Amino acid sequence: MGDRDIPATKAGPASGGCYRRHVAKLIIRFPDGAPGIAALLMRCSCALMAFPALAGILPPETHGWLVAVPAALMAFGFVAGFGTRVSALLLVGTLVADLSFVSGEAIPLRLAAAVAAVALAFLGPGAFSVDAHRYGRRVIRLEPRSPDRGGSG
């Protein structure tokens, strides 16, 4: 954004450089394209970890509906992109709790899945999700006010 894009009446003659230093850059909440596909793949990989993580923290005799239903709900949340950040934080908690029950080669796998879930909680679901359609891109039009609406111009 150059100095010529800032209206002189709003910014003043010497504030162009100051404006660029103090205004935050645009952050895309729901990226599309390659980053959106990457977020979709990350959501699918976290969905695959839901059942093993829940099965690891519960005794083997309780495996069944007690594990399958919450794991299916968590996996659906990931795949559809519905409540992704909440599902990711629940998966992180489950994986951290599961670390005390696993040993050997399963530990690095659980740690990698927990790190991926933390990254997904920070990044969000991406454009190919239910959350993006519910809370996503909105167009905000800044138009001058007409005199009948109380504006000056």
Side-chain angles (χ1 to χ4, degrees):
M1 182 172 193
D3 292 339
R4 67 182 184 283
D5 296 329
I6 304 169
T9 58
K10 301 282 184 188
S15 63
C18 181
Y19 179 82
R20 251 185 273 124
R21 280 191 307 240
H22 296 292
V23 174
K25 299 224 184 259
L26 174 67
I27 298 172
I28 300 173
R29 288 183 57 184
F30 299 105
D32 57 356
I37 293 172
L40 175 65
L41 292 174
M42 187 182 289
R43 289 192 337 247
C44 289
S45 69
C46 285
L48 291 173
M49 285 303 298
F51 185 80
L54 284 170
I57 61 173
L58 295 173
E61 59 272 0
T62 62
H63 291 182
W65 289 106
L66 191 60
V67 173
V69 171
L73 290 174
M74 192 182 301
F76 173 75
F78 281 124
V79 172
F82 182 72
T84 306
R85 289 188 168 141
V86 173
S87 296
L89 293 175
L90 287 172
L91 182 63
V92 169
T94 305
L95 288 165
V96 168
D98 190 31
L99 281 175
S100 61
F101 298 109
V102 297
S103 61
E105 295 176 1
I107 292 175
L109 177 66
R110 299 297 201 272
L111 285 174
V115 169
V118 167
L120 188 60
F122 282 133
L123 291 174
F128 308 112
S129 66
V130 173
D131 287 344
H133 291 286
R134 290 181 65 204
Y135 308 111
R137 300 183 169 122
R138 291 183 171 87
V139 176
I140 300 173
R141 294 191 177 124
L142 301 175
E143 297 174 0
R145 293 181 151 218
S146 64
D148 60 331
R149 293 186 62 198
S152 60

